[in-house]
Amino acid sequence: MEETVVLEEEALSLVGNGDARGKHRILAELARVEQEVTFLEQELEELDQADIVSTVCEELLFVIEKRPDPLLPLTNEPLDLGWDRWFEGPNGGEGCRCLIL
Amino acid sequence: MSVSELKERHAVATETVNNLRDRLRQRRLQLLDTDVARYSSAQGRTPVSFGATDLVCCRTLQGHTGKVYSLDWTPERNRIVSASQDGRLIVWNALTSQKTHAIKLPCAWVMTCAFSPNGQSVACGGLDSVCSIFSLSSTADKDGTVPVSRMLSGHRGYVSCCQYVPNEDAHLITSSGDQTCILWDVTTGLKTSVFGGEFQSGHTADVLSVSISGSNPNWFISGSCDSTARLWDTRAASRAVRTFHGHEGDVNTVKFFPDGYRFGTGSDDGTCRLYDIRTGHQLQVYQPHGDGENTPVTSIAFSVSGRLLFAGYASNNTCYVWDTLLGEVVLDLGLVQDSHKNRISCLGLSADGSALCTGSWDSNLKIWAFGGHRRVI
């Protein structure tokens, strides 16, 4: 869904009646839109320097594969014995089941 | 300047904004030479392969009498707070399945809960538009009522999500149906900063979710009904650092990637997406095949390495486990033995990543862990 900048109906109707509040509102909205222009121009400039996606993917692959993960069947060291604590001692069948009334 | 001149200037500026957005979109498409799945496959990676009994349900936490809407783990590993339609917060020791607290809330319409970093307080919020803080050392009466230790008032709409800033018991961020996020000072109960809102460059619809970066707590992501996710810097609240487009429906859930430089989203459009913070690129779309109709994503979480993306959906008890590198579903927890009997509404990983907790409309929480044979690279 594309964002579009729309002048508020209320502001338009107030302006039609020459209401000072409506003009103030338009001024504030105009300032916001003109600021948005500045920000978008900055973003376009930054994008010219941005890496292509494949460069980011290379980094992502490295980050993911270097970290030990207890939920993976195949993972890096170091392993932590604490990962298996869920299978030691009582399991869910013996836990507290009281209902809160 | 006259009103008509102002209107003309506004129209010109509006057209400039729309043209710039088009140019940004086109430029991004030019930089989109691949996605994560195609890249990883080209590098010879193959999908994670789970045996039938590898990821198992090892605890079922029973006690709520209504749908579970939200859950959060403590940083010190084993405790969970959950919030339910029954109007209660329950604090669990997930290892023993024992309930340590059952707090009856002043407003039963709760939508979110969070543990403080020191594990001594819990926060919650919902349709009362307030974020309430409870100290776990307070004594409850026989009804379970605990005095509220702090009320964070100021939102003009429901509180959809709350999260404490990592390692800062005094600061918390909320998201709201009033289209804003707020950074609070919990000790004073006052707003430190408001992100978005009238005349500020922020979300243009309800904000549904926030996620704070673990590696840089000044950054957080918000997801909204305006179909965007936005990156904010808490030191500069006047506008979002970046807006991430792509989704075609409400962004229900956002979660930072473990390294803090990427984040995931889940949406009503049925997809999850992975975005890069620094470039703003959309790196991958995770879209289930078949079914025809796109089932909304309710909640997501990454495994501690980021290799797995857990996603709960708004149908049956579906909880897909995505291989984030290959873009494939490698498991559906809804088909595993002892799975939930209804929609999964929330999920989260323990601090050490050894367990996933899921919360469901069936009123239960379940703990999942790897019970198979673990091989070391």
Side-chain angles (χ1 to χ4, degrees), chain A residues 2-3 15 23 25 34 39 51 53-54 59 65 67 69-70 73 75 77 85-86 97 100, chain B residues 3 9 25 33 45 59 62 78 198 230 239 262 278 281 303 305 352 354 374-375 377:
Chain A
E2 186 57 56
E3 275 183 47
V15 165
K23 185 174 179 182
R25 202 170 177 85
E34 289 183 337
F39 290 142
D51 288 328
V53 172
S54 53
E59 183 192 39
E65 292 186 330
R67 185 153 179 193
D69 190 329
T75 189
E77 289 183 309
R85 62 188 183 280
W86 306 102
R97 294 188 184 187
I100 306 299
Chain B
V3 165
R9 201 163 136 186
R25 192 172 33 244
D33 60 325
R45 301 302 189 273
R59 302 283 189 283
Q62 294 181 300
N78 290 338
E198 203 173 13
R230 290 176 202 243
R239 79 175 292 260
R262 264 84 28 184
R278 286 176 292 195
H281 294 326
S303 69
S305 68
D352 66 349
S354 64
R374 193 178 281 119
R375 289 174 295 135
I377 297 171

mmCIF file of all heavy atoms in Angstrom, chain A residues 2-3 15 23 25 34 39 51 53-54 59 65 67 69-70 73 75 77 85-86 97 100, chain B residues 3 9 25 33 45 59 62 78 198 230 239 262 278 281 303 305 352 354 374-375 377:
data_model
loop_
_atom_site.group_PDB
_atom_site.id
_atom_site.type_symbol
_atom_site.label_atom_id
_atom_site.label_comp_id
_atom_site.label_asym_id
_atom_site.label_seq_id
_atom_site.Cartn_x
_atom_site.Cartn_y
_atom_site.Cartn_z
ATOM 1 N N GLU A 2 0.731 2.099 -1.019
ATOM 2 C CA GLU A 2 1.622 3.248 -1.148
ATOM 3 C C GLU A 2 1.136 4.379 -0.277
ATOM 4 O O GLU A 2 -0.042 4.685 -0.202
ATOM 5 C CB GLU A 2 1.630 3.672 -2.623
ATOM 6 C CG GLU A 2 2.614 4.760 -2.944
ATOM 7 C CD GLU A 2 4.047 4.371 -2.553
ATOM 8 O OE1 GLU A 2 4.536 3.332 -3.013
ATOM 9 O OE2 GLU A 2 4.661 5.110 -1.765
ATOM 10 N N GLU A 3 2.074 4.979 0.385
ATOM 11 C CA GLU A 3 1.714 6.177 1.164
ATOM 12 C C GLU A 3 1.534 7.342 0.229
ATOM 13 O O GLU A 3 2.337 7.569 -0.642
ATOM 14 C CB GLU A 3 2.864 6.521 2.105
ATOM 15 C CG GLU A 3 2.826 5.776 3.406
ATOM 16 C CD GLU A 3 3.961 6.242 4.275
ATOM 17 O OE1 GLU A 3 4.161 7.451 4.408
ATOM 18 O OE2 GLU A 3 4.674 5.381 4.793
ATOM 19 N N VAL A 15 -10.067 26.385 5.572
ATOM 20 C CA VAL A 15 -9.420 27.395 4.732
ATOM 21 C C VAL A 15 -10.454 28.091 3.861
ATOM 22 O O VAL A 15 -10.407 29.297 3.661
ATOM 23 C CB VAL A 15 -8.335 26.731 3.862
ATOM 24 C CG1 VAL A 15 -7.910 27.641 2.732
ATOM 25 C CG2 VAL A 15 -7.148 26.370 4.726
ATOM 26 N N LYS A 23 -5.420 27.776 8.257
ATOM 27 C CA LYS A 23 -4.194 28.209 7.585
ATOM 28 C C LYS A 23 -2.981 27.720 8.370
ATOM 29 O O LYS A 23 -1.991 27.264 7.801
ATOM 30 C CB LYS A 23 -4.182 29.735 7.471
ATOM 31 C CG LYS A 23 -2.993 30.247 6.673
ATOM 32 C CD LYS A 23 -3.083 31.752 6.443
ATOM 33 C CE LYS A 23 -1.860 32.219 5.672
ATOM 34 N NZ LYS A 23 -1.874 33.678 5.456
ATOM 35 N N ARG A 25 -2.869 25.132 10.143
ATOM 36 C CA ARG A 25 -2.780 23.694 9.946
ATOM 37 C C ARG A 25 -2.100 23.371 8.617
ATOM 38 O O ARG A 25 -1.289 22.461 8.513
ATOM 39 C CB ARG A 25 -4.183 23.103 9.990
ATOM 40 C CG ARG A 25 -4.242 21.637 10.312
ATOM 41 C CD ARG A 25 -5.697 21.245 10.572
ATOM 42 N NE ARG A 25 -5.811 19.826 10.820
ATOM 43 C CZ ARG A 25 -5.622 19.262 12.023
ATOM 44 N NH1 ARG A 25 -5.311 19.990 13.058
ATOM 45 N NH2 ARG A 25 -5.740 17.962 12.164
ATOM 46 N N GLU A 34 7.536 19.313 3.120
ATOM 47 C CA GLU A 34 8.808 19.826 2.601
ATOM 48 C C GLU A 34 9.989 19.182 3.330
ATOM 49 O O GLU A 34 11.040 18.923 2.744
ATOM 50 C CB GLU A 34 8.850 21.352 2.704
ATOM 51 C CG GLU A 34 7.903 22.000 1.689
ATOM 52 C CD GLU A 34 7.945 23.519 1.685
ATOM 53 O OE1 GLU A 34 8.340 24.129 2.713
ATOM 54 O OE2 GLU A 34 7.578 24.106 0.643
ATOM 55 N N PHE A 39 14.305 14.650 3.466
ATOM 56 C CA PHE A 39 14.696 13.328 3.951
ATOM 57 C C PHE A 39 14.782 12.316 2.818
ATOM 58 O O PHE A 39 15.690 11.474 2.765
ATOM 59 C CB PHE A 39 13.714 12.837 5.014
ATOM 60 C CG PHE A 39 13.794 13.584 6.323
ATOM 61 C CD1 PHE A 39 12.652 13.877 7.041
ATOM 62 C CD2 PHE A 39 15.011 13.998 6.833
ATOM 63 C CE1 PHE A 39 12.716 14.567 8.241
ATOM 64 C CE2 PHE A 39 15.094 14.687 8.031
ATOM 65 C CZ PHE A 39 13.933 14.975 8.742
ATOM 66 N N ASP A 51 25.329 -1.063 -0.747
ATOM 67 C CA ASP A 51 25.725 -2.351 -1.316
ATOM 68 C C ASP A 51 24.549 -2.989 -2.029
ATOM 69 O O ASP A 51 23.399 -2.771 -1.676
ATOM 70 C CB ASP A 51 26.160 -3.304 -0.191
ATOM 71 C CG ASP A 51 27.493 -2.918 0.401
ATOM 72 O OD1 ASP A 51 28.338 -2.377 -0.333
ATOM 73 O OD2 ASP A 51 27.685 -3.178 1.615
ATOM 74 N N VAL A 53 22.343 -6.369 -2.930
ATOM 75 C CA VAL A 53 21.811 -7.360 -1.997
ATOM 76 C C VAL A 53 22.752 -8.547 -1.808
ATOM 77 O O VAL A 53 22.903 -9.057 -0.695
ATOM 78 C CB VAL A 53 20.404 -7.820 -2.438
ATOM 79 C CG1 VAL A 53 19.925 -8.995 -1.597
ATOM 80 C CG2 VAL A 53 19.410 -6.670 -2.303
ATOM 81 N N SER A 54 23.420 -8.971 -2.873
ATOM 82 C CA SER A 54 24.289 -10.152 -2.746
ATOM 83 C C SER A 54 25.427 -9.911 -1.752
ATOM 84 O O SER A 54 25.867 -10.841 -1.076
ATOM 85 C CB SER A 54 24.847 -10.578 -4.098
ATOM 86 O OG SER A 54 25.467 -9.488 -4.730
ATOM 87 N N GLU A 59 27.350 -11.462 3.921
ATOM 88 C CA GLU A 59 27.548 -11.160 5.338
ATOM 89 C C GLU A 59 26.576 -11.957 6.196
ATOM 90 O O GLU A 59 26.936 -12.507 7.244
ATOM 91 C CB GLU A 59 27.352 -9.659 5.571
ATOM 92 C CG GLU A 59 27.599 -9.227 6.992
ATOM 93 C CD GLU A 59 27.118 -7.807 7.259
ATOM 94 O OE1 GLU A 59 26.053 -7.411 6.738
ATOM 95 O OE2 GLU A 59 27.799 -7.089 8.000
ATOM 96 N N GLU A 65 26.132 -18.727 10.194
ATOM 97 C CA GLU A 65 26.826 -20.011 10.288
ATOM 98 C C GLU A 65 27.903 -20.034 11.360
ATOM 99 O O GLU A 65 28.385 -21.110 11.715
ATOM 100 C CB GLU A 65 27.402 -20.395 8.918
ATOM 101 C CG GLU A 65 26.276 -20.714 7.918
ATOM 102 C CD GLU A 65 26.783 -21.238 6.600
ATOM 103 O OE1 GLU A 65 27.903 -20.866 6.191
ATOM 104 O OE2 GLU A 65 26.043 -22.010 5.974
ATOM 105 N N ARG A 67 27.477 -18.901 14.527
ATOM 106 C CA ARG A 67 26.960 -18.924 15.910
ATOM 107 C C ARG A 67 26.365 -20.291 16.262
ATOM 108 O O ARG A 67 25.521 -20.811 15.535
ATOM 109 C CB ARG A 67 25.912 -17.844 16.077
ATOM 110 C CG ARG A 67 25.441 -17.747 17.505
ATOM 111 C CD ARG A 67 24.943 -16.394 17.870
ATOM 112 N NE ARG A 67 24.495 -16.416 19.271
ATOM 113 C CZ ARG A 67 23.783 -15.473 19.854
ATOM 114 N NH1 ARG A 67 23.436 -14.407 19.172
ATOM 115 N NH2 ARG A 67 23.422 -15.588 21.111
ATOM 116 N N ASP A 69 23.870 -22.947 17.697
ATOM 117 C CA ASP A 69 22.422 -22.826 17.824
ATOM 118 C C ASP A 69 21.846 -24.116 18.381
ATOM 119 O O ASP A 69 21.898 -25.157 17.722
ATOM 120 C CB ASP A 69 21.814 -22.523 16.447
ATOM 121 C CG ASP A 69 20.343 -22.136 16.506
ATOM 122 O OD1 ASP A 69 19.621 -22.625 17.406
ATOM 123 O OD2 ASP A 69 19.897 -21.356 15.639
ATOM 124 N N PRO A 70 21.301 -24.097 19.599
ATOM 125 C CA PRO A 70 20.816 -25.327 20.240
ATOM 126 C C PRO A 70 19.624 -25.982 19.556
ATOM 127 O O PRO A 70 19.325 -27.151 19.844
ATOM 128 C CB PRO A 70 20.424 -24.870 21.659
ATOM 129 C CG PRO A 70 20.355 -23.405 21.616
ATOM 130 C CD PRO A 70 21.174 -22.925 20.494
ATOM 131 N N PRO A 73 20.015 -29.325 14.253
ATOM 132 C CA PRO A 73 20.572 -30.680 14.353
ATOM 133 C C PRO A 73 22.086 -30.688 14.100
ATOM 134 O O PRO A 73 22.787 -31.600 14.563
ATOM 135 C CB PRO A 73 19.852 -31.464 13.255
ATOM 136 C CG PRO A 73 18.803 -30.579 12.705
ATOM 137 C CD PRO A 73 19.073 -29.184 13.114
ATOM 138 N N THR A 75 25.374 -28.052 14.270
ATOM 139 C CA THR A 75 25.750 -26.710 14.700
ATOM 140 C C THR A 75 27.205 -26.663 15.131
ATOM 141 O O THR A 75 27.871 -27.673 15.269
ATOM 142 C CB THR A 75 24.841 -26.220 15.847
ATOM 143 O OG1 THR A 75 25.092 -24.833 16.092
ATOM 144 C CG2 THR A 75 25.091 -26.995 17.138
ATOM 145 N N GLU A 77 30.521 -25.634 17.556
ATOM 146 C CA GLU A 77 30.898 -25.561 18.965
ATOM 147 C C GLU A 77 31.068 -24.082 19.336
ATOM 148 O O GLU A 77 31.199 -23.239 18.450
ATOM 149 C CB GLU A 77 32.238 -26.292 19.159
ATOM 150 C CG GLU A 77 32.093 -27.789 19.022
ATOM 151 C CD GLU A 77 33.397 -28.514 19.281
ATOM 152 O OE1 GLU A 77 34.414 -28.129 18.677
ATOM 153 O OE2 GLU A 77 33.383 -29.465 20.096
ATOM 154 N N ARG A 85 18.701 -29.078 29.452
ATOM 155 C CA ARG A 85 18.050 -29.118 30.766
ATOM 156 C C ARG A 85 16.560 -29.422 30.649
ATOM 157 O O ARG A 85 15.926 -29.882 31.597
ATOM 158 C CB ARG A 85 18.257 -27.798 31.501
ATOM 159 C CG ARG A 85 17.657 -26.582 30.832
ATOM 160 C CD ARG A 85 18.104 -25.310 31.559
ATOM 161 N NE ARG A 85 17.518 -24.099 31.010
ATOM 162 C CZ ARG A 85 17.951 -23.476 29.919
ATOM 163 N NH1 ARG A 85 18.991 -23.972 29.252
ATOM 164 N NH2 ARG A 85 17.369 -22.375 29.484
ATOM 165 N N TRP A 86 15.982 -29.165 29.476
ATOM 166 C CA TRP A 86 14.544 -29.381 29.280
ATOM 167 C C TRP A 86 14.195 -30.865 29.299
ATOM 168 O O TRP A 86 13.010 -31.228 29.417
ATOM 169 C CB TRP A 86 14.091 -28.749 27.955
ATOM 170 C CG TRP A 86 14.479 -27.313 27.902
ATOM 171 C CD1 TRP A 86 15.521 -26.772 27.225
ATOM 172 C CD2 TRP A 86 13.869 -26.231 28.613
ATOM 173 N NE1 TRP A 86 15.595 -25.412 27.462
ATOM 174 C CE2 TRP A 86 14.591 -25.067 28.307
ATOM 175 C CE3 TRP A 86 12.776 -26.149 29.481
ATOM 176 C CZ2 TRP A 86 14.260 -23.816 28.838
ATOM 177 C CZ3 TRP A 86 12.441 -24.909 30.001
ATOM 178 C CH2 TRP A 86 13.189 -23.760 29.679
ATOM 179 N N ARG A 97 -0.917 -28.029 37.096
ATOM 180 C CA ARG A 97 -1.992 -27.815 36.136
ATOM 181 C C ARG A 97 -3.162 -27.076 36.722
ATOM 182 O O ARG A 97 -4.231 -27.057 36.146
ATOM 183 C CB ARG A 97 -2.515 -29.161 35.601
ATOM 184 C CG ARG A 97 -1.496 -29.914 34.783
ATOM 185 C CD ARG A 97 -2.170 -31.107 34.149
ATOM 186 N NE ARG A 97 -1.195 -31.910 33.435
ATOM 187 C CZ ARG A 97 -1.518 -32.948 32.661
ATOM 188 N NH1 ARG A 97 -2.771 -33.280 32.521
ATOM 189 N NH2 ARG A 97 -0.593 -33.623 32.033
ATOM 190 N N ILE A 100 -6.532 -21.169 37.105
ATOM 191 C CA ILE A 100 -6.785 -19.935 37.844
ATOM 192 C C ILE A 100 -8.248 -19.591 37.649
ATOM 193 O O ILE A 100 -8.699 -19.400 36.532
ATOM 194 C CB ILE A 100 -5.894 -18.792 37.294
ATOM 195 C CG1 ILE A 100 -4.434 -19.212 37.307
ATOM 196 C CG2 ILE A 100 -6.136 -17.534 38.078
ATOM 197 C CD1 ILE A 100 -3.895 -19.531 38.664
ATOM 198 N N VAL B 3 -3.441 31.712 1.253
ATOM 199 C CA VAL B 3 -3.840 30.315 1.394
ATOM 200 C C VAL B 3 -3.708 29.575 0.072
ATOM 201 O O VAL B 3 -3.234 28.437 0.010
ATOM 202 C CB VAL B 3 -5.282 30.239 1.941
ATOM 203 C CG1 VAL B 3 -5.847 28.843 1.759
ATOM 204 C CG2 VAL B 3 -5.307 30.634 3.414
ATOM 205 N N ARG B 9 1.827 25.400 -3.239
ATOM 206 C CA ARG B 9 3.155 24.933 -2.797
ATOM 207 C C ARG B 9 3.073 23.516 -2.216
ATOM 208 O O ARG B 9 3.937 22.670 -2.436
ATOM 209 C CB ARG B 9 3.693 25.904 -1.753
ATOM 210 C CG ARG B 9 5.192 25.828 -1.601
ATOM 211 C CD ARG B 9 5.704 27.051 -0.884
ATOM 212 N NE ARG B 9 6.680 26.648 0.109
ATOM 213 C CZ ARG B 9 7.242 27.462 0.996
ATOM 214 N NH1 ARG B 9 6.901 28.735 1.016
ATOM 215 N NH2 ARG B 9 8.107 27.021 1.871
ATOM 216 N N ARG B 25 12.155 3.535 -5.100
ATOM 217 C CA ARG B 25 11.695 2.179 -5.347
ATOM 218 C C ARG B 25 12.432 1.580 -6.548
ATOM 219 O O ARG B 25 12.898 0.442 -6.510
ATOM 220 C CB ARG B 25 10.180 2.176 -5.580
ATOM 221 C CG ARG B 25 9.549 0.789 -5.552
ATOM 222 C CD ARG B 25 8.015 0.815 -5.588
ATOM 223 N NE ARG B 25 7.491 1.913 -6.361
ATOM 224 C CZ ARG B 25 6.766 2.896 -5.851
ATOM 225 N NH1 ARG B 25 6.502 2.935 -4.559
ATOM 226 N NH2 ARG B 25 6.305 3.863 -6.609
ATOM 227 N N ASP B 33 19.873 -7.676 -6.812
ATOM 228 C CA ASP B 33 20.409 -8.608 -7.799
ATOM 229 C C ASP B 33 20.108 -10.062 -7.432
ATOM 230 O O ASP B 33 20.264 -10.960 -8.264
ATOM 231 C CB ASP B 33 21.922 -8.413 -7.963
ATOM 232 C CG ASP B 33 22.681 -8.634 -6.659
ATOM 233 O OD1 ASP B 33 22.149 -8.287 -5.585
ATOM 234 O OD2 ASP B 33 23.814 -9.137 -6.714
ATOM 235 N N ARG B 45 24.346 -24.305 -0.160
ATOM 236 C CA ARG B 45 23.689 -24.618 1.125
ATOM 237 C C ARG B 45 22.431 -25.434 0.861
ATOM 238 O O ARG B 45 21.743 -25.234 -0.138
ATOM 239 C CB ARG B 45 23.320 -23.347 1.891
ATOM 240 C CG ARG B 45 24.506 -22.451 2.201
ATOM 241 C CD ARG B 45 25.547 -23.188 2.993
ATOM 242 N NE ARG B 45 26.593 -22.320 3.493
ATOM 243 C CZ ARG B 45 27.695 -21.996 2.815
ATOM 244 N NH1 ARG B 45 27.875 -22.462 1.593
ATOM 245 N NH2 ARG B 45 28.601 -21.198 3.368
ATOM 246 N N ARG B 59 7.150 -29.368 27.460
ATOM 247 C CA ARG B 59 6.343 -28.860 28.583
ATOM 248 C C ARG B 59 5.031 -28.318 28.010
ATOM 249 O O ARG B 59 5.028 -27.701 26.943
ATOM 250 C CB ARG B 59 7.010 -27.686 29.312
ATOM 251 C CG ARG B 59 8.381 -27.934 29.896
ATOM 252 C CD ARG B 59 8.321 -28.711 31.176
ATOM 253 N NE ARG B 59 9.611 -28.769 31.846
ATOM 254 C CZ ARG B 59 10.620 -29.564 31.488
ATOM 255 N NH1 ARG B 59 10.488 -30.375 30.436
ATOM 256 N NH2 ARG B 59 11.752 -29.564 32.169
ATOM 257 N N GLN B 62 -0.200 -25.208 31.728
ATOM 258 C CA GLN B 62 -1.647 -25.077 31.807
ATOM 259 C C GLN B 62 -2.026 -24.239 33.024
ATOM 260 O O GLN B 62 -1.459 -24.419 34.110
ATOM 261 C CB GLN B 62 -2.284 -26.462 31.932
ATOM 262 C CG GLN B 62 -2.110 -27.328 30.704
ATOM 263 C CD GLN B 62 -2.771 -28.679 30.861
ATOM 264 O OE1 GLN B 62 -2.423 -29.443 31.767
ATOM 265 N NE2 GLN B 62 -3.721 -28.979 30.003
ATOM 266 N N ASN B 78 14.875 -19.048 32.498
ATOM 267 C CA ASN B 78 13.838 -20.069 32.672
ATOM 268 C C ASN B 78 12.444 -19.566 32.983
ATOM 269 O O ASN B 78 11.513 -20.358 33.028
ATOM 270 C CB ASN B 78 14.237 -21.052 33.782
ATOM 271 C CG ASN B 78 15.398 -21.927 33.352
ATOM 272 O OD1 ASN B 78 15.637 -22.092 32.167
ATOM 273 N ND2 ASN B 78 16.104 -22.477 34.325
ATOM 274 N N GLU B 198 0.736 13.281 15.253
ATOM 275 C CA GLU B 198 0.306 14.350 14.359
ATOM 276 C C GLU B 198 1.477 15.267 13.989
ATOM 277 O O GLU B 198 2.253 15.681 14.838
ATOM 278 C CB GLU B 198 -0.783 15.177 15.035
ATOM 279 C CG GLU B 198 -1.664 15.928 14.071
ATOM 280 C CD GLU B 198 -2.826 16.604 14.767
ATOM 281 O OE1 GLU B 198 -2.802 16.686 16.008
ATOM 282 O OE2 GLU B 198 -3.738 17.037 14.071
ATOM 283 N N ARG B 230 9.096 0.529 10.489
ATOM 284 C CA ARG B 230 9.960 1.722 10.573
ATOM 285 C C ARG B 230 11.041 1.509 11.611
ATOM 286 O O ARG B 230 10.810 0.926 12.667
ATOM 287 C CB ARG B 230 9.138 2.965 10.934
ATOM 288 C CG ARG B 230 8.234 3.382 9.783
ATOM 289 C CD ARG B 230 7.329 4.543 10.089
ATOM 290 N NE ARG B 230 6.188 4.496 9.165
ATOM 291 C CZ ARG B 230 5.903 5.434 8.266
ATOM 292 N NH1 ARG B 230 6.637 6.522 8.194
ATOM 293 N NH2 ARG B 230 4.881 5.287 7.453
ATOM 294 N N ARG B 239 11.611 11.874 13.491
ATOM 295 C CA ARG B 239 11.141 11.089 12.356
ATOM 296 C C ARG B 239 11.810 9.729 12.367
ATOM 297 O O ARG B 239 12.872 9.551 12.970
ATOM 298 C CB ARG B 239 11.431 11.804 11.039
ATOM 299 C CG ARG B 239 12.865 11.679 10.571
ATOM 300 C CD ARG B 239 13.059 12.302 9.223
ATOM 301 N NE ARG B 239 12.399 11.601 8.143
ATOM 302 C CZ ARG B 239 12.994 10.758 7.307
ATOM 303 N NH1 ARG B 239 14.279 10.485 7.444
ATOM 304 N NH2 ARG B 239 12.325 10.177 6.328
ATOM 305 N N ARG B 262 19.602 -6.769 11.068
ATOM 306 C CA ARG B 262 18.497 -7.159 10.208
ATOM 307 C C ARG B 262 17.262 -7.318 11.087
ATOM 308 O O ARG B 262 17.390 -7.341 12.306
ATOM 309 C CB ARG B 262 18.800 -8.543 9.585
ATOM 310 C CG ARG B 262 19.391 -8.579 8.227
ATOM 311 C CD ARG B 262 20.825 -8.436 8.014
ATOM 312 N NE ARG B 262 21.906 -8.764 8.839
ATOM 313 C CZ ARG B 262 23.160 -8.454 8.458
ATOM 314 N NH1 ARG B 262 23.371 -7.862 7.311
ATOM 315 N NH2 ARG B 262 24.160 -8.770 9.242
ATOM 316 N N ARG B 278 20.935 -1.452 7.467
ATOM 317 C CA ARG B 278 21.887 -0.456 6.968
ATOM 318 C C ARG B 278 21.591 -0.019 5.545
ATOM 319 O O ARG B 278 21.703 1.148 5.214
ATOM 320 C CB ARG B 278 23.316 -0.973 7.104
ATOM 321 C CG ARG B 278 23.792 -0.951 8.550
ATOM 322 C CD ARG B 278 25.159 -1.546 8.719
ATOM 323 N NE ARG B 278 25.161 -2.978 8.466
ATOM 324 C CZ ARG B 278 26.146 -3.794 8.824
ATOM 325 N NH1 ARG B 278 27.213 -3.312 9.432
ATOM 326 N NH2 ARG B 278 26.081 -5.076 8.571
ATOM 327 N N HIS B 281 17.418 -2.704 2.298
ATOM 328 C CA HIS B 281 16.966 -3.698 1.320
ATOM 329 C C HIS B 281 16.037 -4.729 1.943
ATOM 330 O O HIS B 281 16.216 -5.135 3.094
ATOM 331 C CB HIS B 281 18.150 -4.470 0.720
ATOM 332 C CG HIS B 281 19.057 -3.638 -0.102
ATOM 333 N ND1 HIS B 281 18.645 -2.584 -0.867
ATOM 334 C CD2 HIS B 281 20.407 -3.731 -0.272
ATOM 335 C CE1 HIS B 281 19.686 -2.056 -1.483
ATOM 336 N NE2 HIS B 281 20.770 -2.721 -1.151
ATOM 337 N N SER B 303 15.641 -18.143 15.780
ATOM 338 C CA SER B 303 16.522 -18.922 16.646
ATOM 339 C C SER B 303 17.780 -18.097 16.899
ATOM 340 O O SER B 303 18.016 -17.090 16.225
ATOM 341 C CB SER B 303 16.864 -20.269 16.002
ATOM 342 O OG SER B 303 17.704 -20.075 14.878
ATOM 343 N N SER B 305 20.895 -18.259 16.268
ATOM 344 C CA SER B 305 21.831 -17.995 15.174
ATOM 345 C C SER B 305 21.148 -17.222 14.045
ATOM 346 O O SER B 305 21.819 -16.640 13.196
ATOM 347 C CB SER B 305 22.370 -19.304 14.597
ATOM 348 O OG SER B 305 21.326 -20.020 13.931
ATOM 349 N N ASP B 352 18.986 -18.246 26.071
ATOM 350 C CA ASP B 352 20.100 -19.009 25.509
ATOM 351 C C ASP B 352 19.704 -19.733 24.225
ATOM 352 O O ASP B 352 20.506 -20.465 23.649
ATOM 353 C CB ASP B 352 20.648 -20.021 26.533
ATOM 354 C CG ASP B 352 19.654 -21.124 26.870
ATOM 355 O OD1 ASP B 352 18.466 -21.010 26.479
ATOM 356 O OD2 ASP B 352 20.055 -22.102 27.523
ATOM 357 N N SER B 354 17.727 -22.189 23.735
ATOM 358 C CA SER B 354 17.554 -23.638 23.806
ATOM 359 C C SER B 354 16.092 -24.055 23.778
ATOM 360 O O SER B 354 15.786 -25.237 23.597
ATOM 361 C CB SER B 354 18.200 -24.189 25.085
ATOM 362 O OG SER B 354 17.539 -23.669 26.224
ATOM 363 N N ARG B 374 22.374 -34.298 18.393
ATOM 364 C CA ARG B 374 22.983 -33.058 17.907
ATOM 365 C C ARG B 374 24.373 -33.361 17.351
ATOM 366 O O ARG B 374 25.202 -33.977 18.025
ATOM 367 C CB ARG B 374 23.055 -32.045 19.042
ATOM 368 C CG ARG B 374 23.385 -30.635 18.601
ATOM 369 C CD ARG B 374 23.389 -29.683 19.780
ATOM 370 N NE ARG B 374 22.066 -29.265 20.200
ATOM 371 C CZ ARG B 374 21.547 -29.492 21.399
ATOM 372 N NH1 ARG B 374 22.237 -30.158 22.313
ATOM 373 N NH2 ARG B 374 20.330 -29.071 21.708
ATOM 374 N N ARG B 375 24.624 -32.951 16.114
ATOM 375 C CA ARG B 375 25.947 -33.160 15.522
ATOM 376 C C ARG B 375 26.709 -31.850 15.460
ATOM 377 O O ARG B 375 26.118 -30.781 15.252
ATOM 378 C CB ARG B 375 25.799 -33.745 14.118
ATOM 379 C CG ARG B 375 25.307 -35.192 14.118
ATOM 380 C CD ARG B 375 25.024 -35.683 12.702
ATOM 381 N NE ARG B 375 23.931 -34.971 12.080
ATOM 382 C CZ ARG B 375 23.970 -34.509 10.828
ATOM 383 N NH1 ARG B 375 25.042 -34.695 10.070
ATOM 384 N NH2 ARG B 375 22.937 -33.874 10.315
ATOM 385 N N ILE B 377 29.669 -29.403 13.884
ATOM 386 C CA ILE B 377 30.446 -29.151 12.657
ATOM 387 C C ILE B 377 31.929 -29.131 13.002
ATOM 388 O O ILE B 377 32.340 -28.423 13.928
ATOM 389 C CB ILE B 377 30.045 -27.789 12.045
ATOM 390 C CG1 ILE B 377 28.570 -27.835 11.631
ATOM 391 C CG2 ILE B 377 30.919 -27.458 10.849
ATOM 392 C CD1 ILE B 377 28.006 -26.498 11.206
#
